[in-house]
Amino acid sequence: MRVESGAIEGVLLFIPAPHRDERGLFTRTFDAAVAADHGLDPASFVQDSQSRTVQGGLRGLHGRSGAGEAKLVRCARGAVHDVLVDARPGSATYGRRMSVVLDDESFVHLYVPPGLLHGYQALTEADVCYRIDREHDPAEDLSVRYDDPDLAIAWPLPVTAISRRDLDAESWRRLRLRLEG
């Protein structure tokens, strides 16, 4: 498994090397020693979650206030266009966006450090798995609209499904004012 840095400070991509043969494939999706070698505490991840999203469906952009939350994200079935926005005012990459395709062919595992907004659009029907380092507290939820003009994220497909919560999310400008307080 090799590890690459993302375009946003602290983001890591864990890229496994699947073994393929006539039966199919086998791949390691998490390795505690590799995570530890790159500064992550494997024991800090306390919750695993999974979502299933229809093709064109969009989730995000979500984040957490307070201490934030770190997460490892991977697509177990299908493919997603995953987007991160750095919402850490003190970060050298504050406001920067990056995207990566996560799918069930490459098995790339994305490490999202605390303080980032995260969202994705399903390119196919897709199952996304999350390993999260804190229990969810709805009082700390942050949300920015997926089509915010200041972020100008280029989603690859027309949006076929989105939650009311995501449609009612605040603007990036308004969140920045609160964060920079």
Side-chain angles (χ1 to χ4, degrees):
M1 181 176 292
R2 78 178 197 279
V3 181
E4 295 179 4
S5 295
I8 293 176
E9 184 179 10
V11 172
L12 298 172
L13 299 161
F14 291 85
I15 305 166
H19 173 74
R20 300 174 193 270
D21 62 23
E22 64 280 355
R23 298 169 295 172
L25 65 85
F26 175 86
T27 192
R28 183 176 306 149
T29 60
F30 181 74
D31 187 310
V34 172
D37 286 347
H38 289 85
L40 305 182
D41 175 9
S44 70
F45 294 98
V46 298
Q47 178 182 318
D48 280 5
S49 300
Q50 181 170 332
S51 65
R52 179 165 292 159
T53 307
V54 299
Q55 183 178 17
L58 198 138
R59 294 180 186 266
L61 300 161
H62 302 151
R64 299 265 305 273
S65 63
E69 94 184 341
K71 56 189 163 188
L72 289 166
V73 182
R74 71 182 177 92
C75 185
R77 184 176 67 94
V80 299
H81 176 81
D82 201 285
V83 174
L84 301 175
V85 178
D86 191 341
R88 302 170 295 183
S91 168
T93 54
Y94 180 54
R96 186 176 296 171
R97 297 165 299 287
M98 69 171 276
S99 63
V100 61
V101 172
L102 303 178
D103 62 31
D104 62 4
E105 292 293 320
S106 68
F107 301 101
V108 171
H109 215 109
L110 177 65
Y111 172 71
V112 181
L116 272 58
L117 298 174
H118 174 247
Y120 66 85
Q121 184 177 43
L123 301 173
T124 65
E125 182 174 86
D127 285 9
V128 173
C129 299
Y130 308 80
R131 183 169 280 181
I132 304 166
D133 76 340
R134 292 181 56 217
E135 291 182 19
H136 182 249
D137 179 354
E140 294 181 333
D141 287 350
L142 300 175
S143 190
V144 170
R145 257 188 82 95
Y146 74 99
D147 60 354
D148 183 276
D150 290 331
L151 291 176
I153 296 168
W155 299 101
L157 300 175
V159 176
T160 60
I162 190 165
S163 72
R164 172 55 45 200
R165 172 186 170 219
D166 289 345
L167 286 173
D168 292 340
E170 69 183 318
S171 69
W172 171 239
R173 180 173 295 154
R174 185 178 196 117
L175 177 62
R176 284 182 51 203
L177 287 172
R178 286 196 303 128
L179 294 173
E180 295 168 10

